[in-house]
Every structure is written in C-alpha cells, then in structure tokens.
Amino acid sequence: DVKVTQSSRYLVKRTGEKVFLECVQDMDHENMFWYRQDPGLGLRLIYFSYDVKMKEKGDIPEGYSVSREKKERFSLILESASTNQTSMYLCASNFRGREQFFGPGTRLTVL
Amino acid sequence: GNSVTQMEGPVTLSEEAFLTINCTYTATGYPSLFWYVQYPGEGLQLLLKATKADDKGSNKGFEATYRKETTSFHLEKGSVQVSDSAVYFCALRSGGGADGLTFGKGTHLIIQP
C-alpha cells in the first residue's frame, strides 16, 4: 500500500516562529503537493513539486516556501508563522496522471 | 480559472435513504473529475473518478457520471449506511498529473440509524 506520512498530527507554534512541516512518501512518486484545508473553503493548493529541487506555486503560496532535496520528502516551511496560518495541512503524492494519495494531515495552531 | 461548486452541508439522511450530492465545475479543456472522502480524523481517500465525458465512476455502491453538457459530476448512492458518514469532496484536474487538484468546499454527510 502507498503510504504518505506527515511528521506531526498536531502542532502548536507561536506567532513569528519558523515552522517546518514534513511529508514522506514511500512509493517513488514523482509529484508531491501541499494543501491547506479550512472549514467552508475546502482544500487549496499551496505548492507542488514534480521532481527533486523543482517547485511550482499553487493557488495560495504567499507566506509559505517548500523544499524537496530528496524524491521521497517534501517540506512545507512557514518562515514567520501568523495566526491566519492556523489550519489543517495535507500532503499528497502521485505518479503523473494517476490518483493522488493523501497523508493524515497536520493540524497547526499558531498562537 | 478552474472552480468546483458542490452543495453545502451538513446533509442529514436516515439509513437506507437515497443520496445525491451535487457537483458542478468550470474548467478549460477536458478535465478529469474525482470524488474524495474524508472520514473523521483521517486524510482524504479517492472514492471514484472519471476521465472523459460520459464515463461513470463507481466504488462501494457510490456512482457519478461525467456530464460535459451540464458540466456536472453528481455523486449518488442508492442506500446509505451509518458508516458512510464523512465529508465528501468533488475535485477536478485539468492538466497532467503534476498539476494539483481544484476542490469544492466539501459536503458533510451525516447518516442517522
């Protein structure tokens, strides 16, 4: 079975802190994605990557950056966390043209 | 740009009732269409998909038909169970596999015994 794991299920940070969210997939997928999920807004794409060291902005990249140094790992970085970044963050991966597999999510609270 | 509109919930039904969750979309070209389900405390799972017009996706008793003329992909099930209680997301992908998905806002379905 494809497995997408995220480093934390719950995270609490302070405003202004630098935050790293980690995602690892074990199926050698080319593509990896970061979404945030908010009530009433559904899921929105933050960034995606189609290869190591490659990244593309999604619909809402402001305030975020990403890193993909290895094929299996895709990190989302909040350089200076703000309260409006409190959300559920979901990572996904896939082979080109195939279904996306999602991780369990990280619920981030910024105080 | 791309967008997906789905009926907002919560939708509350009794066990064995017929379910329809409406989904319509706006996209350029010929998108692929998906329904994902999110059970409490879990990530999203693909429920079914359709990649071209008139295709019908089906899984676990759920069905949806890709209707290009009405730009719709409504989710249906003939007899729901309590275990179907979850949040359902309609989504589309207009590019190749590297493109992210565009999601609707989600429909919370509650099935009462």
Side-chain angles (χ1 to χ4, degrees), chain A residues 9 31 33 35 37 40-43 45 48 50 59 90 94-100 102-104, chain B residues 34 36 38 41-46 49 87 89 93 96-106:
Chain A
R9 292 299 300 270
N31 306 316
F33 308 84
Y35 297 87
Q37 181 181 6
L41 295 177
L43 278 78
L45 181 65
F48 66 96
Y50 54 88
D59 299 320
L90 293 167
N94 76 338
F95 284 119
R96 180 179 288 273
R98 306 287 294 275
E99 82 172 270
Q100 289 187 20
F102 283 81
Chain B
F34 306 84
Y36 278 83
Q38 185 178 35
E42 298 183 14
L44 274 69
Q45 302 172 25
L46 179 66
K49 67 179 181 182
V87 181
F89 292 93
R93 184 182 67 223
D99 290 346
L101 296 168
T102 299
F103 284 87
K105 294 181 179 181

Side-chain angles (χ1 to χ4, degrees), chain B residues 19-106:
Chain B
L19 168 71
T20 300
I21 301 178
N22 291 335
C23 171
T24 57
Y25 67 89
T26 302
T28 54
Y30 301 94
S32 295
L33 301 174
F34 306 84
W35 276 101
Y36 278 83
V37 59
Q38 185 178 35
Y39 297 104
E42 298 183 14
L44 274 69
Q45 302 172 25
L46 179 66
L47 182 59
L48 52 85
K49 67 179 181 182
T51 57
K52 61 183 188 296
D54 300 324
D55 267 2
K56 178 186 281 188
S58 61
N59 186 26
K60 299 182 181 180
F62 291 90
E63 293 183 341
T65 301
Y66 189 146
R67 301 284 188 202
K68 191 173 187 303
E69 64 276 13
T70 55
T71 61
S72 65
F73 192 54
H74 304 321
L75 182 69
E76 296 182 336
K77 186 175 185 182
S79 177
V80 292
Q81 306 301 313
V82 172
S83 57
D84 294 326
S85 298
V87 181
Y88 292 81
F89 292 93
C90 185
L92 70 82
R93 184 182 67 223
S94 60
D99 290 346
L101 296 168
T102 299
F103 284 87
K105 294 181 179 181

Side-chain angles (χ1 to χ4, degrees), chain A residues 3-15:
Chain A
K3 200 157 193 179
V4 180
T5 56
Q6 296 184 228
S7 51
S8 306
R9 292 299 300 270
Y10 300 94
L11 209 53
V12 179
K13 296 292 182 180
R14 298 273 179 201
T15 301

Side-chain angles (χ1 to χ4, degrees), chain A residues 6 21 23 33-35 45-47 74-76 89-91:
Chain A
Q6 296 184 228
L21 302 182
C23 175
F33 308 84
W34 276 107
Y35 297 87
L45 181 65
I46 305 171
Y47 267 97
F74 191 35
S75 302
L76 180 69
Y89 290 88
L90 293 167
C91 175

